[in-house]
Amino acid sequence: MFRSRAKTEKALTDKVTVDLSQPRDPQAPKGRPTPKRSEAQTQRRRAASSAPTDRKAAMKRQREARRVDLAKQREALASGDERYLPVRDKGPVRRFVRDYVDSRFCIAEWFLPLAVIILILSVIQVQNIQSISLLLWLGVIILIVIDSIGLSIRLKKQLRERFPDTPKRGAVAYGLMRTLQMRRLRLPKPQVKRGERP
């Protein structure tokens, strides 16, 4: 109770081990004694010597590693190899969504060719053809919306049945975005044929 303060602090500092290898959050309590100036300078010198001395060489190595990663990713998108796919395409849920969408015929995948045809028809300076192109445009949009709503309802049901405990956030939107791409242009490449159930 009446011990001197210096002895208490010394006992506490003996118990605390110094771990200077990890940077400390400035808002967190310190939890260790302040190192001596010579120790701090030695540690700074050690950290500076481990950093690459040639900045150009380090950047070149980094670029090369990035190029290799992108090449692996491109290859994976073509072959469907799960290990190197981008994060948005990884996992069993996303794979099922891709297979589910690829096994069906969707009106949305023909959106771009139909849009080009309708645009060409609307440019022609004939009143009847322009009104037909406007009706076609309206019909295509309505059909795509109906098809997308039906697909999302069926896909949600299938995901609930097959993956009850797995997080499925964004999976339906991922599937709907995939329907907007033409089948032969989709990445990762389709792994199932039309009509084949995943």
Side-chain angles (χ1 to χ4, degrees), residues 1-11:
M1 184 169 153
F2 294 107
R3 276 192 292 179
S4 71
R5 191 171 178 187
K7 288 180 183 175
T8 310
E9 287 177 1
K10 188 172 186 325

Side-chain angles (χ1 to χ4, degrees), residues 145-159:
V145 168
I146 291 170
D147 188 38
S148 298
I149 290 170
L151 179 77
S152 63
I153 290 169
R154 290 190 302 270
L155 188 56
K156 279 180 189 174
K157 183 181 173 189
Q158 288 286 326
L159 286 171

Side-chain angles (χ1 to χ4, degrees), residues 74-86:
R74 249 183 269 115
E75 224 173 275
L77 286 171
S79 65
D81 186 7
E82 283 281 328
R83 292 174 299 170
Y84 302 113
L85 283 176

Side-chain angles (χ1 to χ4, degrees), residues 97 100-101 104-111 139-157 171-181 186:
V97 169
Y100 188 84
V101 168
R104 304 180 172 281
F105 173 78
C106 298
I107 298 166
E109 70 183 270
W110 297 102
F111 175 74
V140 165
I141 290 174
I142 290 170
L143 286 173
I144 288 173
V145 168
I146 291 170
D147 188 38
S148 298
I149 290 170
L151 179 77
S152 63
I153 290 169
R154 290 190 302 270
L155 188 56
K156 279 180 189 174
K157 183 181 173 189
V172 176
Y174 175 74
L176 291 176
M177 288 304 293
R178 192 166 173 88
T179 61
L180 287 171
Q181 301 164 348
R186 290 176 184 166

Side-chain angles (χ1 to χ4, degrees), residues 7-197:
K7 288 180 183 175
T8 310
E9 287 177 1
K10 188 172 186 325
L12 287 174
T13 57
D14 289 343
K15 291 178 185 175
V16 177
T17 58
V18 178
D19 184 17
L20 302 175
S21 60
Q22 296 178 350
R24 186 180 71 84
D25 179 20
Q27 302 299 322
K30 194 157 91 173
R32 61 176 170 77
T34 304
K36 292 182 179 177
R37 180 177 289 183
S38 59
E39 291 172 3
Q41 286 174 345
T42 307
Q43 187 180 10
R44 262 188 263 130
R45 277 193 215 106
R46 234 183 270 136
S49 66
S50 66
T53 52
D54 189 9
R55 188 168 171 236
K56 284 186 179 179
M59 291 294 284
K60 189 176 180 183
R61 275 197 305 270
Q62 203 174 28
R63 267 197 308 272
E64 191 62 38
R66 202 173 324 136
R67 193 177 299 124
V68 168
D69 286 345
L70 286 173
K72 284 181 183 177
Q73 204 173 70
R74 249 183 269 115
E75 224 173 275
L77 286 171
S79 65
D81 186 7
E82 283 281 328
R83 292 174 299 170
Y84 302 113
L85 283 176
V87 177
R88 66 150 202 238
D89 297 316
K90 274 187 181 174
V93 173
R94 297 295 169 110
R95 183 175 183 91
F96 174 76
V97 169
R98 284 196 304 271
D99 291 346
Y100 188 84
V101 168
D102 294 338
S103 68
R104 304 180 172 281
F105 173 78
C106 298
I107 298 166
E109 70 183 270
W110 297 102
F111 175 74
L112 285 175
L114 287 171
V116 170
I117 292 169
I118 292 169
L119 186 66
I120 291 169
L121 289 175
S122 66
V123 171
I124 298 172
Q125 295 296 323
V126 177
Q127 186 65 36
N128 289 341
I129 294 176
Q130 285 183 341
S131 58
I132 288 170
S133 70
L134 189 64
L135 286 173
L136 274 173
W137 189 249
L138 190 63
V140 165
I141 290 174
I142 290 170
L143 286 173
I144 288 173
V145 168
I146 291 170
D147 188 38
S148 298
I149 290 170
L151 179 77
S152 63
I153 290 169
R154 290 190 302 270
L155 188 56
K156 279 180 189 174
K157 183 181 173 189
Q158 288 286 326
L159 286 171
R160 274 195 303 269
E161 288 173 7
R162 291 193 186 221
F163 305 99
D165 300 328
T166 313
K168 299 171 275 293
R169 187 168 180 235
V172 176
Y174 175 74
L176 291 176
M177 288 304 293
R178 192 166 173 88
T179 61
L180 287 171
Q181 301 164 348
M182 293 182 72
R183 185 180 164 85
R184 66 177 61 195
L185 302 177
R186 290 176 184 166
L187 288 175
K189 296 279 186 197
Q191 303 293 317
V192 293
K193 295 177 182 174
R194 281 197 206 272
E196 186 182 324
R197 292 285 170 253

